[in-house]
């Protein structure tokens, strides 16, 4: 298929080798003006060096965008997802998935601002990210041209990429031994794929983990923290009010210290294959436990059960890249409506990889000791249960008599 002619393209640019090669390739193959967008979403690496690299590769200063979007990421993407207690396939807290729609949104906004007619990303043709980025782009601008170099070029090996970089004078920086894993990080998590992880029987070496202390080496004494919630979102830790990004960053520090948030899973990619990945989500693991705890005393039973029943679908939509889909927005409206009374405090004990809820209280609590006490009470007539049981058993009674 012939390449579509484009004049200006906004590239999701990390400043690393792969996206630097893509930058040069776009200039050569499309003869297009390239605009770079580098997002700071709390990945823990300096993003400003991307500016110098882009300048060295001939990008005009006005075409270099570096944005700190950590607060928007947590407030408008991570927190709404956690209101649903979202987990994909029982374990994955969707750290990579939830960052993609925001990056796509910013690329489209920049494209509009600079008059670009195309956007480009560095996701491969095997993974989920190509789907997430491109569904995001087309949801926000149906007329935008999408360029996915990994589906077009023949640079399909590390050796070919390095040769291309050398030929075109793209600097190859060496900082000691390169990690054997493909990694992605943001304020919510860090992921590891590839290398020995491609054997699902092989245990990852301890040196792979970067964000959490080994549970075996975590402190020998537990630590207690309290998280305050308002309308389903955390607003303070130990009585200290914090911004959304600061909340998550602080919980990450607690999780790191106590070895919390490691998982090793085999997941089903949207494109059809199974993939083994390891993830560290220290703050998110603590937050999920705390949010479920505050909901346990503030949500009506059927309200809570309905949320639990739709969560797998909601998680699947995020994992597959349908953040901007009307069905995700409809589910979000339902979820958010349940959170108006999810207010109060949760007390947690952190110890050697574990998060234990040890207390919860709320001004909107539905927990009434007068009804559930094992002591004498004046509000509940135990004889009422007989009729309740018989009516619920009626269909079984009728069926049993037919036999």
């Amino acid at each position: 298929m012939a390449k579509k002619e484009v004049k200006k393209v906004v590239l999701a640019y990390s400043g690393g080798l792969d996206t630097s090669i893509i930058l040069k390739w776009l200039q050569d193959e499309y003869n297009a003006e390239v605009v770079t967008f580098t997002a700071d979403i709390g990945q823990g690496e300096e993003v400003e060096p991307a500016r110098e690299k882009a300048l060295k590769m001939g990008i005009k200063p006005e075409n270099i965008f570096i944005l700190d979007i950590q607060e928007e990421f947590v407030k408008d993407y991570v927190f709404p997802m956690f209101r649903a207690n979202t987990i994909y396939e029982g374990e994955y807290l969707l750290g990579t998935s939830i960052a993609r729609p925001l990056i796509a949104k910013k690329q489209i906004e920049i494209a509009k601002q600079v008059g670009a007619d195309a956007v480009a990303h560095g996701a491969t043709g095997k993974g989920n990210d190509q789907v997430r980025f491109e569904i995001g782009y087309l949801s926000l601008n149906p007329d935008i041209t999408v360029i996915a170099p990994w589906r077009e070029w023949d640079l399909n090996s590390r050796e070919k990429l390095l040769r291309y970089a050398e030929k075109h004078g793209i600097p190859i920086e060496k900082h000691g031994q390169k990690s054997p894993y493909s990694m992605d990080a943001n304020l919510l998590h860090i992921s590891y794929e590839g290398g020995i992880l491609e054997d699902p029987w092989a245990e990852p070496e301890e040196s792979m983990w970067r964000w959490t202390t080994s549970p075996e080496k975590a402190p020998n004494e537990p630590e207690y923290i309290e998280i305050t919630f308002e309308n389903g979102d955390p607003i303070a830790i130990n009585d200290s009010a914090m911004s959304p990004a600061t909340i998550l960053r602080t919980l990450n520090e607690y999780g790191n210290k106590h070895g919390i948030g490691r998982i090793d899973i085999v997941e089903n990619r949207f494109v059809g294959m199974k993939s083994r990945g390891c993830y560290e989500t220290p703050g998110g693991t603590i937050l999920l436990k705390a949010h479920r705890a505050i909901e346990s005393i503030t949500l009506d039973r059927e309200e809570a059960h309905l949320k639990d029943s739709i969560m797998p679908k909601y998680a699947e939509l995020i994992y597959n890249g349908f953040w901007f889909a009307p069905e995700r927005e409809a589910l979000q409206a339902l979820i958010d409506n349940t959170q108006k009374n999810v207010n109060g405090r949760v007390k947690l004990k952190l110890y050697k990889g574990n998060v234990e809820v040890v207390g919860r209280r709320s001004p909107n609590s539905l927990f009434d000791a007068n009804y559930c006490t094992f002591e004498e009470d004046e509000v509940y007539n135990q004889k009422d249960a007989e009729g309740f049981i018989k009516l619920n058993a009626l269909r079984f009674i009728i069926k049993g008599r037919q036999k």
Side-chain angles (χ1 to χ4, degrees):
M1 187 173 66
K3 289 184 174 68
K4 187 172 180 180
E5 183 178 343
V6 298
K7 296 179 181 178
K8 186 181 288 189
V9 55
V10 179
L11 169 64
Y13 181 67
S14 69
L17 179 61
D18 289 4
T19 53
S20 293
I21 289 173
I22 290 173
L23 191 162
K24 176 62 177 173
W25 183 87
L26 289 170
Q27 292 171 327
D28 290 349
E29 294 295 318
Y30 281 86
N31 195 29
E33 185 178 3
V34 178
V35 177
T36 64
F37 165 53
T38 305
D40 183 354
I41 46 177
Q43 56 265 46
E45 297 178 352
E46 289 293 327
V47 294
E48 274 301 321
R51 187 187 309 278
E52 292 303 316
K53 293 179 182 178
L55 287 170
K56 288 179 181 178
M57 298 188 68
I59 305 301
K60 300 175 183 176
E62 63 269 24
N63 282 345
I64 300 173
F65 291 80
I66 297 178
L67 303 178
D68 183 342
I69 52 176
Q70 295 181 67
E71 291 293 349
E72 183 177 359
F73 173 54
V74 180
K75 178 178 179 290
D76 295 338
Y77 293 81
V78 174
F79 280 4
M81 183 175 72
F82 272 79
R83 289 176 212 142
N85 302 318
T86 312
I87 304 178
Y88 179 69
E89 295 187 337
E91 292 192 84
Y92 177 36
L93 290 172
L94 297 167
T96 297
S97 314
I98 194 59
R100 298 323 189 206
L102 177 56
I103 294 171
K105 175 174 174 279
K106 292 301 177 183
Q107 276 184 270
I108 294 298
E109 289 175 354
I110 292 169
K112 181 179 180 181
Q113 180 179 336
V114 302
D117 51 353
V119 289
H121 62 76
T124 73
K126 281 188 173 183
N128 298 306
D129 279 344
Q130 58 180 337
V131 184
R132 296 165 182 155
F133 280 128
E134 294 180 36
I135 289 180
Y137 298 149
L138 297 172
S139 297
L140 298 167
N141 183 350
D143 299 319
I144 200 77
T145 295
V146 178
I147 302 174
W150 280 95
R151 301 203 300 260
E152 294 187 26
W153 65 22
D154 62 354
L155 305 175
N156 52 10
S157 71
R158 197 74 186 167
E159 184 180 345
K160 287 183 178 180
L161 288 170
L162 292 173
R163 282 205 304 264
Y164 185 95
E166 184 177 359
K167 178 181 176 181
H168 294 281
I170 299 170
I172 302 170
E173 297 182 5
K174 296 180 180 179
H175 301 289
Q177 186 176 2
K178 185 183 184 298
S179 170
Y181 304 102
S182 172
M183 298 184 295
D184 175 78
N186 58 51
L187 199 52
L188 181 56
H189 91 154
I190 184 170
S191 66
Y192 310 89
E193 292 181 304
I196 66 168
L197 301 180
E198 292 184 356
D199 175 3
W201 184 254
E203 180 180 1
E205 64 270 26
E206 178 60 34
S207 61
M208 180 194 74
W209 305 102
R210 296 189 174 199
W211 276 23
T212 54
T213 300
S214 168
E216 292 89 343
K217 296 180 180 178
N220 292 322
E221 295 296 326
E223 183 170 7
Y224 292 84
I225 65 170
E226 294 185 13
I227 302 177
T228 303
F229 287 87
E230 185 177 282
N231 298 327
D233 292 341
I235 61 168
I237 299 175
N238 296 335
D239 289 323
S240 294
M242 302 176 186
S243 72
T246 307
I247 288 269
L248 187 52
R249 194 176 296 111
T250 303
L251 291 178
N252 280 338
E253 292 169 0
Y254 281 114
N256 178 347
K257 178 181 178 181
H258 293 281
I260 292 164
R262 295 183 179 185
I263 63 168
D264 179 341
I265 63 175
V266 173
E267 67 199 63
N268 288 292
R269 287 184 181 174
F270 190 25
V271 294
M273 67 189 76
K274 289 186 182 291
S275 173
R276 195 258 189 106
C278 292
Y279 301 92
E280 290 175 280
T281 318
T285 301
I286 297 171
L287 179 56
L288 176 67
K289 192 84 169 182
H291 185 257
R292 289 199 69 94
I294 195 63
E295 281 193 330
S296 72
I297 61 171
T298 57
L299 288 190
D300 170 78
R301 180 188 70 187
E302 295 307 313
E303 194 176 30
H305 290 182
L306 177 61
K307 277 190 78 235
D308 282 346
S309 72
I310 65 172
M311 184 277 286
K313 178 62 177 178
Y314 180 91
E316 184 180 273
L317 289 171
I318 295 175
Y319 185 84
N320 291 345
F322 291 88
W323 177 263
F324 298 110
E327 61 270 33
R328 199 283 307 174
E329 293 175 346
L331 290 177
Q332 191 72 60
L334 186 157
I335 291 160
D336 291 350
N337 188 63
T338 69
Q339 301 296 290
K340 57 184 179 295
N341 290 322
V342 181
N343 308 305
R345 294 165 69 99
V346 177
K347 183 163 60 175
L348 304 157
K349 181 166 77 171
L350 314 179
Y351 181 66
K352 289 191 176 295
N354 294 307
V355 185
E356 183 180 348
V357 177
V358 295
R360 70 288 277 161
R361 63 186 180 192
S362 169
N364 306 109
S365 178
L366 300 176
F367 182 92
D368 190 333
N370 291 320
Y371 281 91
C372 61
T373 181
F374 283 92
E375 306 301 327
E376 184 177 354
D377 71 82
E378 298 179 357
V379 296
Y380 185 82
N381 186 346
Q382 297 194 30
K383 294 180 181 179
D384 291 343
E386 182 178 356
F388 172 80
I389 295 168
K390 283 187 175 180
L391 285 176
N392 275 281
L394 183 58
R395 60 195 175 99
F396 305 118
I397 294 170
I398 293 171
K399 185 176 181 180
R401 285 175 178 168
Q402 286 179 342
K403 294 179 180 179

